[in-house]
Amino acid sequence: MAQAKVKSPGPVEKKLVGVADTVIVAADKSKDPTLSIPVRSLANVNFNEKRGIIEMGKRKQARTFFNVGMAKKFMQTVLVADALAELQRAGLTTSLREIYYRTKHTMKDSHENTFDNQNESDPLIEDLEVTLAALREELHVRAENAGSIVGPVVLADDGDRVDCARLGKGGYSVPSIVEPEFIEIRRCTADFILLVEKGTQWNRLSEDKFWRRYNCVLLTGNGQPPRGVRRLARRLHEEYKIPVYVLVDNDPWGYYIYSVVKQGSINLAFESQRMAIPKAKFIGLSSADPDHYGLPRNVGIKLNDKDIGRAKELLKYRWFQKKDWQEEIKRMLASGLKYELDALANKDFRYLTKTYLPRKLKEQDWLD
Amino acid sequence: MSTSLAKTTTTEKIPTAEPKATVSAAEMGARQREISVSEFFTKNRHLLGFDNPRKALLTCVKEAVDNALDAAEEAGILPDVLVKVEVAPSNGSAPPPASQATRFRVTVTDNGPGIVRQQIPPIFAKLLYGSKFHRLRMSRGQQGIGISAAGMYAQLTTGKPVQIISRTGARAAAHYFEVQIDTKKNEPRIFENKKIDWKPPRGTQVTLEIEGRYQKGRASVDEYLEQVAIANPHVNLVYLTPEGETREYPRTIHELPPQPKEIKPHPYGIEFGILLRMLHDTKSHSLSGFLAGDFSRVSAAVAQEICKTAKLSLNARPRNIHGEDAEALYKAIQATKIMAPPSNCVSPIGEKAILHGLYKQIKGDFYTAVTRPPSVYRGNPFVIEAGLAYGKGPEQAAAAPEAPAAPLAEGEQREDDSELARVIRYANRVPLLYQQSACATFKAVLETAWRNYGIAQSKGALPGGPMVVFVHMASVWVPFTSESKEAIADYDEIRKEIKLGLQECGRRLGMFLRRRERAKSEFRRRNIFELYIEEVVEACARLKGGKLAKEKLKTQLQKIATKRTGGARTDEILGGDGGPEGLPHSIIVTPEGPEGEAPVLPGAEASDGAPAEAPAPKTEKAAPGRRKGKAKAARATKAARSTKTAKRKRR
């Protein structure tokens, strides 16, 4: 494949070349080339209470070349590593799908494709992430832009100055890769970060200029926040020492979104240390809020079986063992109802901006 | 609406309330009269397998062929049978094509012992007349209905009498008869009776002209005769089709199956009513003598034991035993332990013959056959035999992988043909073509856990794959579900035996498949590694920025691959392709030819000096259209496999 201008290889590229070295060294010793890949599953996840994050366990699986079951995967892994190295050399970023197309071809003298569909190549990228301890961003693989930011933050993106306070109510679309090489945070004068689950509520807050009044950064990930949003929140939190508050629906999925922001996710446990924000606080919607704020029962939604099952799972997670959290979840189960953030509009269109959040912040009514 | 309805019901009620005596008992009594068997079957011809024209044609052929084979075998003659089905000429105009025709003339000629002159009319024109009903001995026919029913059907649909030529030996004259049944009396009516010149020194020829339909495919005359050939490899069968083709099914076993012996009934198989009749009819003067003399497996000691249990005197006169005593005797028989009936009354086809039959008619890679030890249901001894033919044959298998021409795009899949296995069923060597799902054999095939043997099987369905399952039940009395003999009744003992037979076949097939799979996967492994090594080396070279001794790495990896895949040992497995070692009564067919107890088919020597290879393509003539498109494919590959090297390459 195309070779970029010769420059000294970066640390990630070196790691990728290491895959080739594994093969070469093993071949020299007449050994079966083997990659040992950390296991990515719930069984191989630990909760580090001291650091407050989910960490990956030590279990690894060997992927060997000369094993019929693994030979193709091994070959595919090397091909993906090659494509990723090419990205590094060319200084490009790409999508998972493009990686798939880049590495797909028919093998010599056969009718067999290296890859038949993208489902085969995606997990290999994650395998390489964990094996090489390199984040997807560092591997220059991006996802869709799926988040927005607005507030007193100044960023530099490809040399362009982006003042997030001057981007109207639409804000800046958070790219999927926000590593320092790509996005520089020039200034941030906010007092805190508010990470909102839903785009609609973020729009409400942005439209009402909530961020200006309370001097904060408004972030949203439109549901489960993508890596770019989580990473940007983490960088702002770390580099500017400002607290992060998470505003989600009052349902088990909202709780889980909060826990992903705080401790990291089970799937991507290996990058918790770069993504998790252990000090993030859960500001709402709490199962106690309907009482405190007088939300009528009829704006609630009945918990379905899936919700109840998920909630019971959450009760067992080690990172939800704090007394307050057990109470919070049990209270929801006892009421049998869940509430959307949108339900606050029942009181007033601007209830979130004018009453709910100000009171929450004033009373410091959040969960840790 | 409701009122009018009510009205009618009331008006209708009146006559029933006051019945007018229209018919007196005397008048009714005068109307009662005997119904002859022939009349009964004329009205109920579906009971005998004449439901529709297509089936009728098959039944006629079947009855005539069964009789021919039974006669020849009983006389100790290796049967030569000629079956000719032709479109009957219709008054002057040109005969329609076979597929359109509605009238056929069926002629079956055998080399059997012939029939003595006086017996010809009743055998062919009297229902329930025969030699086989009153004895317990294994034969194709059982009831003495078949051929006369066919004659009756001919008479009913075309009005033509049955024509018979028979000759009992070179020195005897050949007799020609034309007969019909007098349906009222169930007696033969003779139209023609003369001596004629007939070439064959011995044998019988029956000609029937009937209304029928000739249609190929499932449950056709063609299929029937093909299956006859499979189960009767000692028969030389020639079939002249209505379309003018000649199909030959040559004899591959040159000895007759052992003559089954006639036996006395076994006490366990006797019903109470029959016991009463036997008590009445016996020639013995004492009960013990009756028991020991009229039943099989009852010794004097056993007879004594039965009498003791029944609290009856050994010397009681059998004729005087009735009522409670007879019941006590019946119970005592059931309670006494009696040896299973002798099994020499049953003559199985034998593993070797089944193998030959399957191999001759069905193309495959693997054949196996099992003859179970004799077993008993309701006092009737029986033997179950099972067989399997698996695969598409080496030529087809070699032809298949050429299909995919282009690499697949996302979402595309290679087509897998998902045919189901075919079950061929036999009772006393006679193929059963109808009512498959009602048959004990079919149920046993469904119940066998084929997945254990590496064969796909959906729940409640036949196993999948290119496979023919053969099941044969041989017995002195095969329990059919109806008179037309289409399905074997589902006795637990029978089904259990069938399953045991199928399981044994399945185990052998499983072993064969596993072995072949192992060899194949070794081969594939090496193939895969070769392909992948190429890719990995290229990718590594790119990763290293081109600074890599590619050839060196490639050789190193290839060396590891060879070591990992078993090296020379694999080469052996690949070359040998398994082999029938350890698989009893099996044939394995490889591109190099059959291994195991494969017969050399006639005509094999004639082809290009490679006798072992020849049989497979040669059978093409004898077994056309076993599966659709098969013959064509075989012909195509025949050209392609002209040299051995070409074949190897494809593998």
Side-chain angles (χ1 to χ4, degrees):
Chain A
M1 285 171 205
Q3 285 179 29
K5 51 196 176 273
V6 182
K7 59 176 184 189
S8 64
V12 177
E13 190 188 341
K14 273 187 193 157
K15 285 178 182 177
L16 289 165
V17 174
V19 174
D21 289 328
T22 311
V23 177
I24 296 161
V25 169
D28 250 343
K29 293 182 185 159
S30 296
K31 290 234 170 83
D32 192 354
T34 305
L35 294 170
S36 68
I37 298 167
V39 177
R40 286 177 288 116
S41 75
L42 181 59
N44 194 30
V45 155
N46 301 315
F47 178 56
N48 185 329
E49 236 153 324
K50 214 161 130 202
R51 297 177 64 194
I53 59 172
I54 298 171
E55 286 179 336
M56 192 148 210
K58 293 215 164 64
R59 282 171 46 195
K60 293 192 173 182
Q61 60 185 40
R63 177 166 301 161
T64 61
F65 189 10
F66 294 109
N67 172 315
V68 184
M70 293 191 255
K72 186 163 191 185
K73 257 193 170 172
F74 186 94
M75 177 272 295
Q76 289 171 332
T77 312
V78 180
L79 285 182
V80 170
D82 172 37
L84 292 173
E86 186 189 346
L87 283 178
Q88 293 289 329
R89 289 185 194 121
L92 297 170
T93 68
T94 189
S95 66
L96 291 170
R97 187 132 186 96
E98 281 183 343
I99 295 270
Y100 158 62
Y101 281 127
R102 184 74 186 121
T103 49
K104 177 171 188 165
H105 57 261
T106 304
M107 280 176 277
K108 196 184 164 192
D109 290 339
S110 80
H111 296 300
E112 198 182 345
N113 290 323
T114 48
F115 291 90
D116 283 321
N117 61 54
Q118 196 188 335
N119 297 343
E120 291 178 46
S121 65
D122 286 359
L124 298 181
I125 294 169
E126 289 182 0
D127 284 346
L128 283 170
E129 284 174 52
V130 285
T131 312
L132 307 177
L135 291 179
R136 191 173 302 176
E137 294 71 28
E138 293 176 321
L139 294 174
H140 292 194
V141 180
R142 58 178 147 74
E144 299 279 312
N145 289 2
S148 305
I149 182 171
V150 68
V153 179
V154 179
L155 307 171
D157 181 352
D158 276 354
D160 295 336
R161 184 174 180 278
V162 180
D163 185 345
C164 298
R166 292 166 172 273
L167 290 171
K169 47 181 174 287
Y172 171 67
S173 160
V174 182
S176 118
I177 304 182
V178 294
E179 295 310 305
E181 314 85 286
F182 295 91
I183 302 283
E184 181 197 338
I185 305 174
R186 292 223 178 127
R187 199 179 71 216
C188 173
T189 54
D191 292 332
F192 63 92
I193 300 161
L194 188 64
L195 180 53
V196 188
E197 175 185 352
K198 281 182 168 169
T200 50
Q201 261 55 50
W202 183 89
N203 279 332
R204 160 67 48 226
L205 295 168
S206 171
E207 195 177 299
D208 293 351
K209 300 286 179 232
F210 178 86
W211 57 270
R212 194 166 280 159
R213 190 174 168 128
Y214 290 90
N215 192 33
C216 66
V217 174
L218 288 178
L219 258 173
T220 182
N222 295 316
Q224 177 73 260
R227 303 157 66 110
V229 171
R230 284 172 59 199
R231 181 72 184 133
L232 185 60
R234 161 80 180 251
R235 282 188 64 196
L236 287 167
H237 165 77
E238 215 169 42
E239 290 169 30
Y240 291 87
K241 307 279 179 267
I242 49 177
V244 174
Y245 301 108
V246 181
L247 181 64
V248 293
D249 283 346
N250 181 231
D251 61 25
W253 319 100
Y255 294 151
Y256 188 68
I257 286 173
Y258 159 73
S259 85
V260 166
V261 171
K262 190 179 173 78
Q263 290 103 358
S265 75
I266 296 169
N267 297 357
L268 303 174
F270 60 99
E271 27 191 47
S272 295
Q273 46 179 330
R274 305 280 303 260
M275 304 279 245
I277 308 167
K279 285 184 181 156
K281 307 279 190 278
F282 174 83
I283 196 163
L285 217 49
S286 155
S287 55
D289 289 346
D291 251 8
H292 293 174
Y293 293 84
L295 278 179
R297 199 182 146 74
N298 61 9
V299 299
I301 301 173
K302 186 177 177 287
L303 289 173
N304 60 33
D305 293 347
K306 252 171 137 184
D307 293 329
I308 294 170
R310 188 82 183 106
K312 285 182 176 161
E313 269 173 45
L314 293 181
L315 278 175
K316 285 186 220 142
Y317 285 165
R318 283 193 48 212
W319 44 96
F320 277 116
Q321 291 308 315
K322 286 177 191 152
K323 189 171 151 259
D324 289 351
W325 268 108
Q326 292 281 318
E327 276 174 15
E328 166 77 25
I329 298 171
K330 281 176 182 161
R331 189 161 47 228
M332 180 179 70
L333 282 170
S335 77
L337 295 175
K338 58 184 177 183
Y339 290 86
E340 289 184 289
L341 279 168
D342 316 57
L344 294 170
N346 180 257
K347 307 225 73 127
D348 185 287
F349 277 126
R350 304 172 92 180
Y351 192 76
L352 179 70
T353 335
K354 297 275 179 204
T355 317
Y356 182 80
L357 282 175
R359 188 173 148 192
K360 279 264 171 182
L361 290 167
K362 202 172 124 216
E363 293 176 0
Q364 305 206 337
D365 177 17
W366 49 65
L367 283 170
D368 186 18
Chain B
M1 189 65 185
S2 61
T3 49
S4 70
L5 228 165
K7 238 183 199 170
T8 49
T9 42
T10 46
T11 48
E12 268 180 10
K13 256 184 187 169
I14 295 166
T16 39
E18 257 178 72
K20 287 176 204 161
T22 48
V23 187
S24 72
E27 280 173 302
M28 282 175 77
R31 283 185 203 172
Q32 308 280 2
R33 65 187 165 94
E34 197 185 347
I35 303 156
S36 101
V37 219
S38 327
E39 278 179 311
F40 177 75
F41 281 121
T42 311
K43 284 198 173 173
N44 294 293
R45 61 193 202 195
H46 55 274
L47 294 180
L48 299 175
F50 296 95
D51 333 20
N52 56 59
R54 182 169 186 243
K55 200 168 162 188
L57 181 65
L58 168 67
T59 308
C60 287
V61 171
K62 181 175 137 116
E63 297 298 349
V65 170
D66 286 357
N67 276 5
L69 295 180
D70 267 347
E73 280 169 22
E74 202 176 336
I77 299 163
L78 272 174
D80 284 324
V81 177
L82 172 75
V83 178
K84 186 173 170 189
V85 179
E86 56 197 329
V87 178
S90 51
N91 19 315
S93 59
S99 58
Q100 305 291 318
T102 55
R103 265 189 180 211
F104 290 88
R105 191 206 300 266
V106 175
T107 308
V108 175
T109 314
D110 64 51
N111 64 341
I115 305 167
V116 291
R117 202 176 63 88
Q118 314 79 283
Q119 290 293 347
I120 291 174
I123 286 180
F124 290 95
K126 185 176 166 79
L127 284 182
L128 295 174
Y129 185 92
S131 54
K132 302 165 193 169
F133 187 78
H134 292 285
R135 61 180 189 189
L136 279 175
R137 178 178 180 276
M138 177 187 154
S139 58
R140 292 180 178 77
Q142 287 181 343
Q143 295 145 333
I145 296 180
I147 192 67
S148 24
M152 205 169 71
Y153 177 77
Q155 175 179 341
L156 205 66
T157 53
T158 66
K160 293 277 166 70
V162 185
Q163 299 166 7
I164 304 119
I165 301 172
S166 191
R167 191 173 181 187
T168 52
R171 261 177 274 164
H175 290 277
Y176 173 83
F177 271 89
E178 281 186 15
V179 293
Q180 277 197 342
I181 302 188
D182 180 341
T183 46
K184 276 193 184 149
K185 294 188 198 139
N186 187 23
E187 286 296 335
R189 279 201 337 237
I190 301 164
F191 285 75
E192 186 74 72
N193 170 15
K194 60 185 180 194
K195 288 185 186 175
I196 56 160
D197 281 337
W198 200 46
K199 259 193 206 151
R202 189 191 61 218
T204 305
Q205 174 176 308
V206 192
T207 305
L208 295 156
E209 193 165 325
I210 55 157
E211 202 178 281
R213 269 189 75 79
Y214 175 72
Q215 209 173 3
K216 294 177 188 180
R218 272 191 58 114
S220 61
V221 174
D222 304 19
E223 193 191 23
Y224 174 76
L225 292 174
E226 187 196 325
Q227 291 192 14
V228 167
I230 292 173
N232 299 278
H234 63 286
V235 175
N236 189 26
L237 185 63
V238 178
Y239 170 36
L240 307 176
T241 72
E243 286 170 344
E245 277 179 76
T246 303
R247 291 190 196 159
E248 287 174 45
Y249 301 95
R251 179 177 293 136
T252 52
I253 296 245
H254 297 272
E255 60 198 73
L256 274 171
Q259 279 280 354
K261 300 268 182 323
E262 200 175 327
I263 58 159
K264 291 171 197 147
H266 190 269
Y268 285 171
I270 292 297
E271 266 136 21
F272 185 56
I274 297 172
L275 178 68
L276 285 179
R277 201 198 71 212
M278 287 177 73
L279 282 167
H280 191 264
D281 293 347
T282 183
K283 286 174 191 140
S284 303
H285 297 292
S286 69
L287 183 55
S288 62
F290 161 71
L291 289 172
D294 288 16
F295 290 100
S296 64
R297 296 297 196 210
V298 180
S299 61
V302 173
Q304 207 174 347
E305 199 188 328
I306 293 172
C307 294
K308 212 175 121 196
T309 319
K311 300 203 173 72
L312 290 168
S313 157
L314 284 173
N315 299 318
R317 284 185 74 86
R319 277 167 176 266
N320 296 342
I321 298 173
H322 25 232
E324 275 175 33
D325 286 349
E327 249 173 84
L329 179 65
Y330 186 70
K331 276 187 194 144
I333 287 173
Q334 305 304 320
T336 309
K337 233 186 141 183
I338 304 168
M339 222 170 131
S343 48
N344 57 3
C345 53
V346 177
S347 152
I349 301 172
E351 279 137 349
K352 189 177 162 208
I354 296 174
L355 272 182
H356 284 202
L358 288 172
Y359 178 76
K360 185 172 71 163
Q361 285 320 125
I362 294 168
K363 270 179 217 167
D365 304 323
F366 176 77
Y367 305 84
T368 191
V370 171
T371 299
R372 294 281 310 155
S375 182
V376 177
Y377 83 93
R378 262 188 41 201
N380 295 313
F382 70 95
V383 171
I384 291 297
E385 299 183 287
L388 274 184
Y390 182 89
K392 300 183 167 178
E395 309 91 45
Q396 278 234 323
E402 295 193 41
L408 296 180
E410 198 175 322
E412 275 185 329
Q413 273 178 348
R414 302 220 191 278
E415 276 174 30
D416 261 346
D417 52 341
S418 53
E419 63 180 311
L420 290 181
R422 195 160 68 113
V423 182
I424 54 179
R425 305 169 288 135
Y426 296 87
N428 285 351
R429 296 166 182 258
V430 179
L432 308 176
L433 297 186
Y434 281 93
Q435 291 201 15
Q436 170 168 269
S437 51
C439 190
T441 51
F442 185 72
K443 287 176 192 164
V445 173
L446 293 189
E447 276 176 20
T448 306
W450 293 98
R451 285 183 193 206
N452 295 350
Y453 315 122
I455 303 285
Q457 184 183 25
S458 329
K459 212 178 164 203
L462 283 172
M467 179 160 81
V468 175
V469 181
F470 169 105
V471 182
H472 175 227
M473 173 177 179
S475 176
V476 291
W477 192 259
V478 177
F480 287 111
T481 55
S482 75
E483 288 80 2
S484 52
K485 303 201 252 184
E486 286 159 349
I488 299 172
D490 193 7
Y491 282 95
D492 284 347
E493 297 91 337
I494 297 175
R495 198 179 340 172
K496 187 183 143 210
E497 275 297 313
I498 300 173
K499 271 172 77 179
L500 287 172
L502 290 173
Q503 281 163 359
E504 177 60 34
C505 286
R507 271 191 291 277
R508 292 182 196 162
L509 175 63
M511 258 148 82
F512 163 75
L513 288 177
R514 269 196 302 280
R515 253 179 232 168
R516 200 172 63 165
E517 193 47 46
R518 210 179 321 145
K520 241 196 205 161
S521 79
E522 290 291 323
F523 183 69
R524 208 167 40 219
R525 257 165 89 175
R526 205 179 287 177
N527 247 349
I528 282 173
F529 291 149
E530 236 155 70
L531 271 183
Y532 294 177
I533 285 170
E534 197 85 14
E535 290 290 329
V536 167
V537 169
E538 288 299 323
C540 284
R542 287 192 300 265
L543 273 168
K544 296 295 280 182
K547 286 170 275 177
L548 180 72
K550 280 203 264 181
E551 282 312 312
K552 184 185 154 206
L553 181 59
K554 206 189 281 180
T555 338
Q556 282 172 335
L557 288 174
Q558 275 162 355
K559 221 187 252 169
I560 304 173
T562 317
K563 207 168 75 190
R564 292 268 159 174
T565 50
R569 257 187 316 124
T570 306
D571 293 334
E572 242 170 66
I573 297 171
L574 289 175
D577 216 341
E581 80 269 20
L583 296 179
H585 305 297
S586 303
I587 301 175
I588 294 174
V589 183
T590 63
E592 280 72 39
E595 299 171 35
E597 307 167 15
V600 176
L601 299 183
E605 295 80 15
S607 69
D608 57 69
E613 250 177 287
K618 257 290 179 276
T619 46
E620 189 193 327
K621 194 177 150 203
R626 175 165 67 88
R627 276 189 279 270
K628 266 184 199 159
K630 170 141 229 175
K632 214 187 275 172
R635 226 168 290 135
T637 40
K638 204 175 163 189
R641 61 199 282 282
S642 54
T643 60
K644 271 195 172 185
T645 40
K647 217 166 40 201
R648 284 251 173 71
K649 218 162 133 196
R650 212 174 298 126
R651 279 228 130 194

